[in-house]
Amino acid sequence: MTVETRRAVEWTLERPGQLNRSVRTLPNPTAGEILVATRLGAVSPGTERTLLHGSAPAVTAASYPHQPGYLNVVEIIDAPDRTLVGERGVALLGHRDLALIPYHRFLRMPAEAPDESGLLGVLAADASHALDTAVVEKEEDCLVIGGGILGVLSTWELCLRTRGRIVLVERDPQRRGLLAGITWPGGTEITDAPGHHRFHNVFDCAGSATGFTLAQQSARAQGSIVLVSDGSHEPYVLAEDFFRRGLFLGKTDSHPDLRTFLGEYFTRGEDRGSLLDVAFRDEIRFADFPQAYLESLLAAPAERRGLLPRVVYPAAPGA
């Protein structure tokens, strides 16, 4: 049998401030393996900026080299089982164009789902996990702090779970204007401050010390505060009356069962058209790394048109 080799390009942070390009030669996949090509990725400017600067709380200096990036939407371009070739799905690659992975690490997407829906589904899973942590009931009022992609998806998932009041706080007026373009699946208030109302559940998606202070001020007695995807959160301080008020503090990371969540997510019937539009208005090309990547990370918030820059990859040979 002829062994075909392909070159895979990957960008990693060797240390804070140093982005490195590496090239690997990949052989044909063997039994249980698949060769996948990335179609679409994403950049999280907030999280990846802290990784670039070496200030991410959950990633110490000893953790470098570090692979930034999200799960990617990929296509199988080679496999011993030829019936798999052409399937699209989600896999953890970081900023990499080709990879040889075990098939069980591939999460299949339905043929009719757009690539962007796969990226959104991965993040929606993390938002849903935060709601599970708080055990949101159908009539409870909920506050979301931070109008970034996780705040928006937490709000979206809340619309599907509760008939209570849902308020999304975002201090930036330009970002509030962007969020006004979303057609939510339920009643949602977008504002710059929560007012004097106290909420059953508060979801801190801002990742800042000031956001956490606001969360404590806005939670009612016996209420829940959840730090959504806690890994990049700034250091925070519990208020003096935190325990006296009987507040519950939860912290979440990635969804523990992404495969099951995505299976349900792709069969849900809500219209995500406006959400996809607002989320992915910015685009960079993998071929333009590292310059385009660094510009995306360091750009001022006012320069961004959407919530999450997507990374578009060139078509791989054989794709």
Side-chain angles (χ1 to χ4, degrees), residues 207-262:
S208 65
T210 54
F212 184 72
T213 298
L214 178 62
Q216 294 179 91
Q217 295 170 348
S218 303
R220 64 174 56 184
Q222 311 299 318
S224 297
I225 299 173
V226 178
L227 307 184
V228 183
S229 286
D230 166 61
S232 61
H233 203 291
E234 291 179 357
Y236 51 85
V237 177
L238 297 180
E240 291 184 3
D241 63 350
F242 187 92
F243 295 105
R244 178 172 55 80
R245 293 172 60 203
L247 296 176
F248 166 82
L249 178 62
K251 305 176 184 180
T252 68
D253 205 331
S254 299
H255 195 287
D257 189 358
L258 181 59
R259 186 181 299 274
T260 298
F261 176 84
L262 287 179

Side-chain angles (χ1 to χ4, degrees), residues 134-158:
V135 194
V136 176
E137 301 292 341
K138 289 184 177 180
E139 303 296 333
E140 290 183 338
D141 296 343
C142 297
L143 173 68
V144 179
I145 299 173
I149 189 65
L150 275 174
V152 166
L153 291 175
S154 296
T155 303
W156 186 279
E157 294 295 311
L158 281 169

Side-chain angles (χ1 to χ4, degrees), residues 49-131:
R49 189 185 308 114
T50 64
L51 292 171
L52 178 67
H53 292 158
S55 58
V59 181
T60 65
S63 300
Y64 289 82
H66 186 82
Q67 183 189 62
Y70 280 127
L71 288 153
N72 295 355
V73 176
V74 302
E75 180 179 347
I76 299 175
I77 61 171
D78 197 7
D81 180 356
R82 302 298 297 173
T83 64
L84 301 177
V85 174
E87 285 192 0
R88 289 179 311 131
V90 175
L92 177 59
L93 301 188
H95 299 306
R96 179 169 25 168
D97 60 355
L98 296 173
L100 201 61
I101 63 172
Y103 181 63
H104 67 79
R105 286 176 47 196
F106 174 83
L107 307 179
R108 185 179 177 276
M109 289 174 54
E112 66 276 8
D115 288 348
E116 290 81 0
S117 184
L119 290 179
L120 213 60
V122 170
L123 295 166
D126 295 343
S128 179
H129 181 43
L131 273 58

